[in-house]
């Protein structure tokens, strides 16, 4: 799968291709959406919004691929980091509402007024400042990943056990965020956002900007992952995936390698969540639900693990399919998703990206034969 | 069809054996609920058997009438058949209007019926009625002291006499003019009974102006509250045991398959659900005998779930051997498909599974500790199933082979054990047990498409806690988890207790990564 990564340059052929295609796609969508309404090629803003949502899922899938594809840990709860990042963003947006809420309280969010709270809990303090929110978007998921990873990896919980515990983690977080006493809006979550950095979220312009920003973050995350992977840490990470005990016997601290990659991945997932929330306009505890994490896993599996761009392809494909199915025949989506799991694991071990790769390789081999 | 029924019923109409007077008819068929007061008054003048029946039907909102002002009594809430009281004929599927009553009128009917039952000549009816008096929360609803006095003088049955004495004490405790001695003897009687109503009465007596009475009442109240907290504790333990035994049933199949094949079957919860649905289907087939249906559904559920399990093994898991994480994903896909299948076939709503007569009711241990029969039988049932599994594992050829394969697959194969065959049988066995767990669950929770999901994470935690592939680990793990859950719930709320248990489990795994009773193996990669 990754035999060649050790000799790879930072900007490999795939990376260049990926960046080129993604940038072109982003620019194309922005241009098409800016065309006049009468133009046949005009993209309605709701489609741009939808695409922006897909791109945030792609960033999340990228972070999952770091952990599952390169570290070999099947995480069934990665949405926990996504949702936490989203909640921090949601808190910032909620504080930005100010006195424009239903109850018009300048400080307290609507749901707190509704619950008869009289002061802001300590963890809501200061979140009206974007720089602090931006720091917390990365810090909160990273911190949880650090604590959880420290506990799990140092006790050498691995394989299926670890997968189940990650699932239980996200399940527990979901239950916790459903509680009204926690002060995150209970089962309604946070919604009715008005502005982001002073710009109204209802305008078309900000939606296009958010989409472009998501594409930019996708490219940057991709480059970040690449740079980690070709470093010594990345090589160790792949070594841990393929033969954990050998790496340990040589004398490396396996748990530290795992922890670094895991925390990095959680931070990226948190950023994805933060981009997701203003585009969807709501964040509630259902984002923690185990099924969401599983959907992301199937994206990575379908796209192909351990390739980075595979995860992105998978995320886009699965979510396009999901949108189509839920609009046409909602009952059918879960059948399709279930079948996707079974078929991909049975017949498409390396995913779509693997297929593309082998096709390109065989094509190359043929041309070389002809040259010879 | 309907016409023929009606036709036959008119031809064979029997002589009217119960005449409904015109005034009663009018007050029952009036559209205003207020006129029902009149009907209740007419009916309670003569408490004949028929009148009591009509009162009962009226109380439960089962009295209907047609456009000719003919009265019909519906058999039950679910049925569409009616009895005509004047002819005792049964007719079905009619369009009728209901004769509704207000909650106040319902209360009135209840008190009338209770009074009539108190003076009933049938011993068991009378005993039930007196027991009901003891459950009444506010003592203003109790009958007058003269009524009770009359009853006490008539009573020949010892048990009922005792209960009546307590009712008398409840009434007398409200009249301080009776004197200190009388009140203190009341407190003695009330303390002995010690149920909710008695505790209320004693609490009121604490405020008595007489110091002797209030001291005695305070003493009684504190001893009662102590015994109540003890019985509450035992009740929690018992609830925990019943939850735990369900968890054991749900997790044991998972544990066996994980021990032998090293794969986690994410569709295990859905196999439990299929077992629960089997009960529902069989009860639909034979609605006359719920108890028998439940017993028949135990082997049926085993077979249904085992069949699905073997299918999953044959078509999916077998092809993913040596890739546990992929197996987990594939079986997760299967669980989504099974859930959606049930939603499409049976509707996404919950299905009502009936609890047979012999599982209803409860066993009274002390005055404020009662144990419900269905939970008791579930504990018993789980232990029996568990014992059977242990016997299979310890005493049969299959059990021997299963243990061999789970300890060391390669060597077992070298010894001539067909590992693939063991895989299929193990998977069938584990899945079948899941089906049986579904039968047990159908008696205590709602049967719906999400039934499996709500138990699967808990079962996984039991497996992780107890150590995979170890039966005794699963038993201890399940019971401990159940009891911990129920002890934490009142302290921290249901959701928080789940979270606390999860965190505790993660910390526990720090100490023992392979659970309470880890499987012994020699592989370095374990």
């Amino acid at each position: 799968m990754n035999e060649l990564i050790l000799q790879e340059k930072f900007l490999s052929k795939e990376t260049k291709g990926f960046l080129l295609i993604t940038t072109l796609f982003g620019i194309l969508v922005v241009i098409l959406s800016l065309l006049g309404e009468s133009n046949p090629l005009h993209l309605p803003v709701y489609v741009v919004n939808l695409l922006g949502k897909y791109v945030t899922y792609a960033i999340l899938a990228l972070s999952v691929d770091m952990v599952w594809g390169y570290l070999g840990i099947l995480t069934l709860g990665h949405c926990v980091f996504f949702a936490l990042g989203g909640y921090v963003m949601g808190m910032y947006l909620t504080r930005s509402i100010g006195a424009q809420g239903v109850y018009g309280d300048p400080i307290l969010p609507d749901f707190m007024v509704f619950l008869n709270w009289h002061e802001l809990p300590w963890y809501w303090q200061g979140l009206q400042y974007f720089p602090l929110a931006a720091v917390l978007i990365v810090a909160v998921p990273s911190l949880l990943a650090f604590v959880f990873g420290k506990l799990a990896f140092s006790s050498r919980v691995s394989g299926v056990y670890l997968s189940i515990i990650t699932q239980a983690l996200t399940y527990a977080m979901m239950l916790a965020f459903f509680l009204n006493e926690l002060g995150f809006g209970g089962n309604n979550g946070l919604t009715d956002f008005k502005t982001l950095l002073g710009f109204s979220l209802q305008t078309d312009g900000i939606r296009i900007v958010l989409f472009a920003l998501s594409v930019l973050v996708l490219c940057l995350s991709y480059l970040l992952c690449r740079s980690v992977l070709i470093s010594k840490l990345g090589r160790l990470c792949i070594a841990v995936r393929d033969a954990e005990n050998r790496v340990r016997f040589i004398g490396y601290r396996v748990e530290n390698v795992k922890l670094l990659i895991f925390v990095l991945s959680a931070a990226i997932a948190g950023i994805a969540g933060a981009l997701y929330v203003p585009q969807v306009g709501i964040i509630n505890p259902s984002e923690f639900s185990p099924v969401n994490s599983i959907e992301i896993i199937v994206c990575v599996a379908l796209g192909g693990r351990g390739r980075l761009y595979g995860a992105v392809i998978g995320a886009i494909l699965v979510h396009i399919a999901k949108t189509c199915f839920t609009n046409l025949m909602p009952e059918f989506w879960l059948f399709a998703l279930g079948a996707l799991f079974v078929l991909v694991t049975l017949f498409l071990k390396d995913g779509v990206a693997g297929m593309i790769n082998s096709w390109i390789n065989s094509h190359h081999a043929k041309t070389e034969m002809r040259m010879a | 069809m309907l016409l023929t029924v009606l036709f036959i019923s008119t031809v064979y109409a029997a002589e009217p054996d119960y005449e409904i007077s015109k005034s009663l008819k009018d007050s029952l068929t009036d559209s205003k609920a207020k006129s029902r007061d009149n009907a209740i008054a007419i009916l309670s003048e003569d408490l004949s058997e028929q009148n009591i029946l009509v009162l009962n039907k009226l109380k439960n909102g089962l009295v209907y009438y047609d456009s000719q002002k003919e009265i019909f009594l519906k058999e039950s809430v679910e049925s569409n058949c009616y009895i005509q009281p004047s002819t005792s004929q049964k007719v079905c599927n009619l369009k009728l209007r209901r004769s509704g009553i207000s909650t106040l009128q319902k209360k009135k009917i209840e008190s009338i019926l209770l009074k009539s039952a108190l003076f009933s000549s049938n011993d068991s009816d009378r005993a039930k009625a007196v027991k009901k008096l003891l459950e009444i929360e506010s003592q203003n609803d109790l009958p007058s002291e003269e009524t009770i006095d009359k009853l006490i003088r008539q009573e020949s049955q010892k048990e009922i006499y005792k209960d009546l004495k307590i009712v008398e004490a409840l009434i007398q405790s409200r009249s301080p003019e009776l004197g200190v001695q009388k009140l203190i003897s009341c407190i003695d009687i009330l303390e002995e009974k010690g149920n909710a109503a008695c505790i209320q009465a004693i609490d009121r007596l604490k405020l008595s102006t007489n110091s002797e009475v209030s001291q005695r009442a305070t003493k009684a109240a504190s001893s009662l509250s102590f015994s109540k907290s003890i019985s509450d504790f035992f009740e929690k333990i018992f609830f925990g045991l019943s939850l735990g035994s369900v968890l054991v049933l749900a997790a044991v199949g998972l544990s066996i398959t994980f021990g032998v094949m090293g794969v986690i079957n994410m569709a295990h919860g859905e196999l439990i659900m299929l077992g629960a649905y089997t009960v529902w289907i069989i009860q639909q087939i034979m609605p006359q005998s719920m108890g028998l249906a439940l017993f028949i559904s135990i082997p049926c559920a085993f077979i249904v779930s085992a069949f699905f399990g073997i299918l999953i093994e044959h078509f999916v898991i077998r092809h993913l051997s040596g890739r546990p994480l992929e197996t987990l994903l594939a079986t997760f896909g299967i669980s989504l498909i099974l859930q959606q299948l049930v939603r499409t076939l049976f509707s996404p709503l919950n299905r009502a599974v009936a609890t047979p007569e012999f599982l209803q009711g409860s066993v009274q241990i002390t005055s404020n500790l009662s144990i419900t029969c269905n939970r008791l039988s579930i504990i018993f049932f789980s232990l029996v199933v568990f014992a059977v599994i242990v016997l299979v594992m310890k005493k049969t050829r299959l059990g021997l082979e299963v243990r061999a394969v789970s300890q060391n697959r390669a060597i077992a194969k070298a010894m001539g054990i067909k590992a693939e065959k063991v895989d299929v049988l193990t998977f069938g066995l584990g899945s079948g047990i899941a089906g049986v767990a579904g039968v047990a669950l159908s008696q205590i929770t709602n049967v719906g498409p999400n039934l499996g999901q709500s138990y699967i994470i808990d079962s996984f935690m039991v497996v992780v806690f107890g150590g995979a592939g170890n039966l005794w680990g699963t038993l201890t793990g399940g019971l401990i988890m159940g009891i911990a859950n129920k002890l934490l719930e009142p302290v921290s709320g249901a959701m928080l207790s789940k979270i606390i248990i999860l965190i505790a489990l993660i910390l526990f795994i720090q100490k023992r990564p392979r659970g309470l009773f880890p499987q012994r193996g020699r592989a370095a990669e374990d």
Side-chain angles (χ1 to χ4, degrees):
Chain A
M1 222 142 99
N2 308 78
E3 313 81 2
L4 298 174
I5 200 157
L6 301 184
Q7 302 118 44
E8 271 186 55
K9 296 195 292 293
F10 173 55
L11 286 172
S12 64
K13 218 184 314 180
E14 282 106 0
T15 315
K16 279 180 194 156
F18 173 84
L19 288 177
L20 190 70
I21 291 171
T22 315
T23 323
L24 281 178
F25 162 78
I27 291 170
L28 185 73
V29 168
V30 170
I31 287 174
L32 288 184
S33 65
L34 290 176
L35 289 173
E37 296 269 340
S38 55
N39 198 310
L41 289 174
H42 169 74
L43 263 190
V45 170
Y46 76 88
V47 176
V48 179
N49 203 4
L50 203 60
L51 290 173
K53 215 170 86 174
Y54 294 166
V55 173
T56 55
Y57 280 130
I59 303 169
L60 175 62
L62 200 69
S63 74
V64 170
D65 194 26
M66 281 300 281
V67 173
W68 187 31
Y70 288 97
L71 198 56
I73 294 173
L74 174 57
T75 153
L76 296 180
H78 227 63
C79 274
V80 98
F81 308 119
F82 181 80
L84 279 177
Y87 259 101
V88 177
M89 189 69 175
M91 285 158 87
Y92 163 73
L93 292 171
T94 307
R95 292 299 310 272
S96 311
I97 295 173
Q100 295 172 311
V102 178
Y103 295 104
D105 192 299
I107 297 200
L108 290 187
D110 278 345
F111 71 89
M112 292 192 193
V113 181
F114 182 73
L115 292 173
N116 279 330
W117 291 24
H118 298 298
E119 52 182 33
L120 214 55
W122 59 267
Y123 43 85
W124 277 77
Q125 302 292 350
L127 268 165
Q128 64 272 47
Y129 304 112
F130 187 73
L132 178 70
V135 170
L136 284 182
I137 281 167
V138 177
V140 172
S142 306
L143 188 70
L144 178 69
F146 181 80
V147 173
F148 178 81
K150 188 92 191 147
L151 288 172
F153 303 145
S154 63
S155 63
R156 300 196 188 171
V157 181
S158 63
V160 183
Y161 276 92
L162 188 56
S163 304
I164 288 165
I165 292 185
T166 52
Q167 182 171 35
L169 172 78
T170 192
Y171 182 69
M173 288 295 269
M174 178 173 81
L175 294 181
F177 272 74
F178 267 120
L179 296 173
N180 273 331
E181 302 85 65
L182 207 67
F184 291 107
N187 70 6
N188 300 325
L190 308 171
T191 184
D192 288 338
F193 308 132
K194 305 275 189 277
T195 58
L196 171 64
L197 295 170
F199 299 101
S200 165
L201 279 169
Q202 307 310 322
T203 56
D204 290 357
I206 191 106
R207 300 197 161 196
I208 294 169
V209 168
L210 277 170
F211 165 80
L213 196 65
S214 304
V215 173
L216 183 69
V217 171
L218 176 64
C219 293
L220 290 176
S221 320
Y222 191 92
L223 288 174
L224 177 68
C225 292
R226 272 302 293 179
S227 62
V228 168
L229 285 174
I230 57 156
S231 70
K232 188 176 163 186
L233 173 66
R235 293 174 195 190
L236 266 177
C237 158
I238 291 165
V240 166
R241 177 192 72 192
D242 294 337
E244 186 177 326
N245 276 333
R246 286 190 196 186
V247 179
R248 193 172 274 126
F249 295 153
I250 293 169
Y252 287 105
R253 284 292 184 87
V254 168
E255 43 278 3
N256 291 355
V257 175
K258 284 183 177 176
L259 202 54
L260 272 170
I261 301 285
F262 195 66
V263 169
L264 171 81
S265 163
I268 295 175
I271 295 169
L275 283 167
Y276 172 85
V277 169
Q279 300 192 72
V280 182
I282 184 167
I283 174 86
N284 59 23
S286 66
E287 291 300 334
F288 284 103
S289 98
V291 174
N292 287 8
S293 301
I294 294 267
E295 263 178 24
I296 291 296
I297 286 286
V298 91
C299 295
V300 178
L302 176 73
R305 284 188 288 160
R307 283 196 173 75
L308 291 185
Y309 64 92
V312 176
I313 295 171
I316 304 281
L317 284 180
V318 169
H319 283 98
I320 287 175
K322 185 179 177 177
T323 308
C324 293
F325 274 129
T326 41
N327 286 345
L328 295 173
M329 27 187 174
E331 284 211 343
F332 198 71
W333 168 242
L334 279 178
F335 278 127
L337 189 69
L340 204 58
F341 270 108
V342 179
L343 298 176
V344 167
T345 44
L346 282 177
F347 303 112
L348 207 64
K349 215 177 123 190
D350 287 341
V352 175
M355 258 177 23
I356 295 172
N357 241 20
S358 59
W359 181 76
I360 287 174
N361 286 346
S362 66
H363 187 75
H364 270 287
K366 273 183 196 157
T367 48
E368 274 168 25
M369 292 264 284
R370 265 190 240 126
M371 299 284 273
Chain B
M1 170 75 208
L2 184 70
L3 279 175
T4 45
V5 169
L6 277 174
F7 178 69
I8 290 168
S9 69
T10 43
V11 168
Y12 292 100
E15 282 299 301
D17 44 36
Y18 172 63
E19 200 58 57
I20 296 187
S21 66
K22 181 154 178 357
S23 59
L24 177 58
K25 226 178 233 183
D26 287 342
S27 49
L28 277 176
T29 55
D30 196 288
S31 58
K32 284 200 283 294
K34 259 203 117 46
S35 40
R36 240 57 90 204
D37 282 333
N38 190 17
I40 294 169
I42 296 170
L43 284 166
S44 54
E45 268 167 27
D46 162 35
L47 284 169
S48 65
E49 208 168 310
Q50 276 288 1
N51 275 346
I52 287 181
L53 174 81
V54 176
L55 274 174
N56 252 319
K57 293 276 180 197
L58 193 59
K59 183 188 86 181
N60 299 327
L62 298 171
V63 176
Y64 286 76
Y65 57 92
D66 61 6
S67 46
Q68 269 81 48
K69 295 205 169 180
E70 200 55 55
I71 304 288
F72 292 88
L73 304 177
K74 201 172 182 180
E75 282 188 320
S76 69
V77 180
E78 295 88 24
S79 105
N80 324 328
C81 293
Y82 305 85
I83 305 269
Q84 256 184 294
S86 48
T87 58
S88 306
Q89 287 295 329
K90 191 166 161 179
V91 279
C92 292
N93 300 326
L94 298 174
K95 273 252 172 286
L96 297 172
R97 300 191 51 190
R98 188 161 82 173
S99 167
I101 54 167
S102 68
T103 45
L104 266 176
Q105 287 165 335
K106 194 173 167 177
K107 273 218 161 97
K108 199 165 158 189
I109 295 180
E110 271 170 4
S111 70
I112 290 168
L113 289 174
L114 187 63
K115 229 175 193 150
S116 78
L118 283 175
F119 287 99
S120 143
S121 53
N122 178 331
D123 283 344
S124 75
D125 282 357
R126 209 165 56 241
K128 266 188 201 145
V130 177
K131 282 252 185 298
K132 257 205 190 113
L133 286 183
L134 288 174
E135 299 300 314
I136 289 177
E137 288 294 325
S138 85
Q139 281 151 19
N140 302 334
D141 300 349
L142 284 173
S144 65
E145 198 171 348
E146 291 77 46
T147 319
I148 297 291
D149 207 44
K150 203 160 138 196
L151 282 168
I152 288 179
R153 267 181 280 132
Q154 287 175 3
E155 192 52 67
S156 55
Q157 296 284 333
K158 213 166 145 189
E159 279 297 309
I160 306 179
Y161 180 79
K162 246 174 95 176
D163 283 344
L164 280 169
K165 274 295 203 194
I166 299 166
V167 177
E168 189 188 34
L170 276 173
I171 297 168
Q172 285 176 346
S173 71
R174 296 185 69 91
S175 19
E177 67 278 3
L178 283 172
V180 176
Q181 284 315 315
K182 193 77 188 156
L183 284 177
I184 286 184
S185 69
C186 274
I187 295 177
D188 288 341
I189 295 173
L190 295 176
E191 188 186 0
E192 198 186 347
K193 177 69 186 164
N195 71 358
C198 296
I199 290 174
Q200 260 189 352
I202 289 175
D203 280 345
R204 231 193 348 267
L205 283 172
K206 271 201 238 174
L207 311 171
S208 164
T209 44
N210 182 304
S211 65
E212 207 180 334
V213 174
S214 70
Q215 265 173 13
R216 179 72 193 83
T218 316
K219 205 172 127 197
S222 67
S223 85
L224 275 180
S225 75
F226 176 70
S227 68
K228 188 167 167 21
S229 64
I230 294 264
S231 57
D232 275 358
F233 176 76
F234 276 108
E235 193 175 24
K236 274 181 211 135
I237 293 280
F238 168 72
F239 265 69
L241 278 178
S242 72
L243 174 71
S245 57
V246 167
L247 286 180
V248 169
L249 267 190
V252 81
L254 202 65
S255 175
I256 294 173
T257 46
F258 186 61
V260 173
M261 304 159 76
V263 298
I264 279 281
N265 176 15
M266 280 296 225
H268 193 81
E270 277 56 49
L271 295 170
I272 294 175
M273 173 191 79
L274 289 177
Y277 268 92
T278 311
V279 180
W280 179 72
I281 291 169
I282 288 179
Q283 284 193 343
Q284 295 302 306
I285 294 169
M286 37 195 308
Q288 265 63 44
S289 47
M290 290 296 176
L292 185 64
L294 194 64
F295 279 113
I296 291 179
S297 56
I298 294 172
C300 288
F302 185 93
I303 291 166
V304 168
S305 293
F307 171 74
F308 272 92
I310 287 173
L311 279 186
I312 294 171
E313 204 281 337
H314 186 85
F315 286 106
V316 178
I317 294 181
R318 171 171 305 185
H319 306 285
L320 296 169
S321 60
R323 294 194 283 156
L325 296 183
E326 269 95 339
T327 315
L328 197 153
L329 286 183
T331 47
F332 191 88
I334 293 166
S335 90
L336 289 181
I337 293 173
L338 285 178
Q339 267 182 47
Q340 197 52 39
L341 198 67
V342 169
R343 274 192 206 111
T344 321
L345 288 179
F346 297 118
S347 99
L349 303 171
N350 285 342
R351 290 288 172 205
V353 168
T355 306
E357 297 279 317
F358 60 88
L359 288 181
Q360 286 165 359
S362 55
V363 183
Q364 201 76 22
I365 289 182
T366 64
S367 57
N368 42 21
L369 174 62
S370 66
I371 283 177
T372 48
C373 281
N374 61 349
R375 288 186 181 271
L376 197 64
S377 46
I378 277 179
I379 295 178
F380 177 71
F381 178 69
S382 306
L383 291 177
V384 170
V385 173
F386 187 79
V388 169
I389 297 166
V390 170
L391 281 178
V392 167
M393 284 292 168
K394 287 266 184 281
K395 300 282 174 201
T396 61
R397 175 82 199 173
L398 171 71
L400 185 70
E401 289 181 351
V402 165
R403 278 179 294 145
V405 172
S406 61
Q407 275 173 18
N408 196 325
R409 201 179 189 88
I411 300 282
K413 278 174 97 163
M415 292 292 186
I417 293 175
K418 292 189 175 64
E420 286 73 26
K421 194 186 83 180
V422 173
D423 283 349
V424 175
L425 290 176
T426 315
F427 216 83
L429 179 69
S431 310
I433 297 165
V436 174
V439 176
L441 270 177
S442 73
Q443 295 301 308
I444 52 171
T445 51
N446 298 327
V447 176
N450 300 337
L451 171 82
Q453 258 185 333
S454 43
Y455 279 87
I456 189 80
I457 289 194
D458 283 342
S459 327
F460 279 144
M461 293 198 334
V462 169
V463 173
V464 171
F465 180 54
N470 185 308
L471 290 177
W472 297 108
T474 309
L475 183 70
T476 349
L479 294 182
I480 290 176
M481 291 270 281
I483 291 172
N485 234 323
K486 288 292 170 192
L487 285 183
L488 278 172
E489 250 173 38
V491 183
S492 57
M495 284 195 178
L496 217 57
S497 74
K498 266 201 160 63
I499 297 165
I500 292 171
I501 284 183
L502 182 79
I503 293 169
L505 183 72
I506 291 179
L507 292 175
F508 170 81
I509 285 196
Q510 301 303 301
K511 287 272 159 263
R512 304 194 68 134
R514 311 214 67 70
L516 271 178
F517 303 103
Q519 262 193 313
R520 289 194 196 87
R522 288 188 179 184
E525 286 288 350
D526 262 355

